[in-house]
């Protein structure tokens, strides 16, 4: 099961806060984060890594990115 | 836009300087600058102080003495209580008093988004104007304030900054560069700029771009506000900071020597940052000691000017 955080349209640091909230909520598993700026792509990946999550995949999608993070 | 030539114009638009300088007579020039921005802290009085210190800094960075200033205000009068504006202006005025600068007027407009800053006029001797160009091989680089205000302000917006970090950051942003500038002008300085939106490395790049010199930055000697590194690791990095790095990274050698986060801190967009002073090696230690004695505690030697590689910054 994976959950999606749609952080498109939000500016920094909101996408990071939304990602950290979801990480706290689910604890483990897989989360897809949608962002629409390079800054958010980099910051969300960094935030996930700092919490012990892995950035599994980053895909360009539309005008932004689809970031998949996971933790076993 | 065609540039206007005038023999009395000492510093104009062409070199991305901190302020314009115009010669009035042989021994007197005026320094002119304008800066205003949206709030970076919640407290209106503090914001007023930060905005004023930031605006005044451009005159200090040229080696000048600010004399008079005017307020620039954009205020949403229909949405916000007028007392907020009063507190902002009081914060600004208190900084101007500390700087011994007279407030002589100003202008306000109604705007959906609050903005505040100053237009500042100062004086300087035409032959003592310091610009961001002129650093010479062998000079040491002194930075007078710690880095990290951009990252801490971003964390503050998200409610994730530790109160110690916020307090230190506010202290840093509200501190005038007055003392540092006065001490700097007592010795022979080759170049100076204030570290603001482009970050330490961005402004260092401006100092060497197109010049016959390069710089080595002693990355571990650069003063950093408490908690900044941790906040950077959490991804609380302003967009401007990331854009600074992406724009200037071709000019940085050995960037991979330090962590991504450390590099980003060196590029962090600062508000009301310190002076970056290029001073001959023989005067560097005594200037540093004077700065410490006079309360510019965070000042540190953060690098040196080298002959090679020209136009580049080396991370050391």
């Amino acid at each position: 099961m994976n959950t999606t955080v749609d952080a498109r349209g939000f500016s920094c640091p909101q996408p990071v806060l939304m990602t950290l909230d979801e990480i706290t909520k689910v604890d483990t598993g897989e989360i897809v984060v949608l962002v629409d700026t390079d800054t958010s792509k980099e910051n969300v990946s960094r935030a996930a890594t700092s919490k012990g999550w892995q950035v599994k995949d980053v895909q360009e999608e539309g005008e932004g990115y689809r970031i998949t993070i996971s933790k076993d | 836009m065609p540039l206007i030539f005038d023999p009395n114009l000492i510093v104009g638009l062409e070199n991305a300087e901190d302020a314009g300088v115009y010669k009035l007579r042989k021994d007197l020039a005026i320094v002119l600058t304008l800066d205003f921005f949206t709030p970076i802290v919640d407290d209106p009085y503090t914001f007023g102080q930060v905005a004023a210190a930031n605006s005044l800094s451009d005159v200090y960075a040229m080696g000048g003495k600010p004399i008079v200033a005017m307020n620039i205000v954009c205020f949403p009068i229909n949405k916000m209580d007028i007392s907020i504006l009063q507190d902002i202006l009081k914060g600004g005025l208190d900084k101007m008093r500390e700087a011994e600068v007279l407030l002589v007027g100003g202008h306000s407009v109604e705007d959906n988004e609050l903005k505040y800053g100053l237009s500042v006029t100062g004086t300087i001797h035409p032959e003592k104007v310091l610009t961001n160009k002129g650093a010479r091989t062998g000079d040491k680089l002194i930075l007078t304030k710690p880095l990290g205000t951009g990252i801490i302000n971003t964390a503050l917006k998200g409610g994730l900054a530790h109160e110690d970090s916020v307090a230190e950051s506010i202290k840093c942003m509200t501190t005038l560069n007055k003392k540092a500038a006065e001490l700097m002008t007592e010795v022979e300085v080759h170049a100076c700029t204030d570290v603001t939106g482009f970050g330490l490395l961005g402004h260092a790049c401006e100092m060497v771009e197109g010049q016959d010199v390069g710089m080595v930055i002693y990355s571990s000697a650069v003063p950093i506000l408490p908690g900044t590194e941790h906040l950077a690791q959490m991804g609380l990095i302003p967009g401007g900071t990331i854009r600074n790095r992406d724009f200037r990274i071709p000019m940085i050698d050995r960037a991979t020597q330090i962590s991504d986060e450390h590099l980003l801190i060196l590029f962090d967009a600062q508000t009301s940052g310190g002076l970056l002073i290029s001073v001959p090696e023989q005067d560097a230690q005594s200037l540093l000691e004077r700065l410490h004695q006079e309360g510019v505690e965070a000042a540190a030697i953060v690098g040196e000017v080298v002959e090679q590689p020209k136009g580049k910054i080396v991370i050391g």
Side-chain angles (χ1 to χ4, degrees):
Chain A
M1 196 191 76
N2 69 33
T3 49
T4 300
V5 175
D6 188 354
R8 290 173 298 184
F10 290 95
S11 68
C12 172
Q14 219 52 40
V16 165
L17 298 180
M18 293 162 82
T19 306
L20 291 175
D21 272 357
E22 197 60 32
I23 282 177
T24 311
K25 224 182 283 171
V26 302
D27 196 34
T28 56
E30 197 167 283
I31 303 172
V32 171
V33 187
L34 305 173
V35 297
D36 54 8
T37 66
D38 288 336
T39 297
S40 296
K41 176 187 71 169
E42 193 169 327
N43 276 335
V44 163
S45 301
R46 201 168 262 124
T49 310
S50 78
K51 293 290 169 190
W53 285 58
Q54 265 192 327
V55 180
K56 271 178 65 181
D57 189 40
V58 180
Q59 296 272 338
E60 278 188 46
E61 187 174 282
E63 308 247 304
Y65 302 94
R66 179 189 188 86
I67 308 164
T68 309
I69 60 172
S70 72
K71 188 182 178 186
D72 295 333
Chain B
M1 206 163 46
L3 299 176
I4 294 165
F5 175 77
D6 183 319
N8 290 316
L9 183 66
I10 299 173
V11 177
L13 274 173
E14 60 284 354
N15 279 332
E17 286 294 341
D18 299 307
V21 183
Y22 190 86
K23 184 159 89 175
L24 297 176
R25 47 172 217 238
K26 222 167 63 187
D27 61 346
L28 183 70
I30 50 168
V31 187
L32 304 112
T33 179
L34 182 157
D35 208 338
F36 66 125
F37 47 63
T38 55
I40 25 90
V41 287
D42 288 337
D43 178 57
Y45 177 79
T46 306
F47 170 55
Q49 287 187 304
V50 172
N54 182 70
S55 299
L56 290 162
S57 178
D58 287 331
V59 176
Y60 293 129
M62 310 293 293
K65 178 179 163 35
I67 304 288
V68 291
M70 289 196 262
N71 282 330
I72 306 148
V73 176
C74 303
F75 194 75
I77 191 69
N78 294 322
K79 292 193 299 191
M80 231 177 243
D81 195 285
I82 192 75
S83 69
I84 293 174
L85 179 58
Q86 286 162 348
D87 287 344
I88 292 170
L89 297 181
K90 185 166 185 311
L93 188 60
D94 280 353
K95 274 294 143 188
M96 285 182 253
R97 284 198 178 122
E98 187 187 332
E100 298 169 302
V101 163
L102 288 176
L103 178 65
V104 295
H107 187 68
S108 58
V109 292
E110 194 184 334
D111 192 342
N112 284 331
E113 197 173 30
L114 170 61
K115 300 172 195 84
Y116 172 64
L118 301 179
S119 158
V120 186
T121 302
T123 56
I124 193 166
H125 192 288
E127 278 150 31
K128 292 186 174 161
V129 177
L130 291 171
T131 68
N132 62 19
K133 299 294 188 307
R136 295 183 204 166
T137 301
D139 283 0
K140 292 286 181 186
L141 299 167
I142 293 179
L143 176 67
T144 64
K145 285 186 187 179
L147 303 181
T149 60
I151 289 166
I152 290 172
N153 287 338
T154 302
L156 183 63
K157 271 193 231 163
L160 292 172
H162 193 276
E163 59 185 57
D164 291 350
S165 298
V166 176
E168 287 293 319
S169 173
I170 284 173
K171 188 178 145 207
C172 172
M173 293 187 293
T174 55
T175 299
L176 291 174
N177 282 327
K178 179 175 192 280
K179 194 45 89 178
E182 286 168 1
L183 293 172
M184 155 178 95
T185 49
E186 286 174 9
V187 296
E188 183 202 355
V189 163
H190 291 148
C192 179
T193 190
D194 60 345
V195 176
T196 51
F198 299 140
L200 172 65
L201 290 181
H203 288 282
C205 282
E206 281 192 335
M207 292 176 92
V208 300
E209 191 167 40
Q211 303 295 296
D212 262 350
V213 292
M215 283 175 184
V216 175
I217 296 294
Y218 312 146
S219 54
S220 57
V222 176
I224 295 170
L225 288 164
T228 307
E229 202 132 17
H230 175 66
L231 296 170
Q233 279 160 5
M234 281 175 72
L236 296 161
I237 295 160
T241 297
I242 290 177
R243 284 191 293 277
N244 286 342
R245 181 203 57 196
D246 293 347
F247 176 53
R248 288 300 195 182
I249 199 73
M251 282 176 75
I252 312 293
D253 275 2
R254 306 182 73 190
T256 53
Q257 277 231 125
I258 53 174
S259 69
D260 289 351
E261 287 78 19
H262 196 171
L263 184 68
L264 282 161
I265 292 169
L266 299 183
F267 269 115
D268 189 31
Q270 301 298 282
T271 299
S272 187
L275 300 181
L276 181 60
I277 307 166
S278 187
V279 58
E281 186 180 10
Q282 67 267 24
D283 297 324
Q285 200 56 42
S286 61
L287 176 57
L288 186 68
E289 280 162 23
R290 290 281 291 133
L291 287 163
H292 290 165
Q293 279 164 10
E294 295 289 330
V296 189
E297 294 148 12
I301 294 176
V302 299
E304 64 184 85
V305 181
V306 291
E307 204 181 343
Q308 296 288 348
K310 294 188 201 312
K312 286 215 158 195
I313 308 291
V314 183
I315 302 297

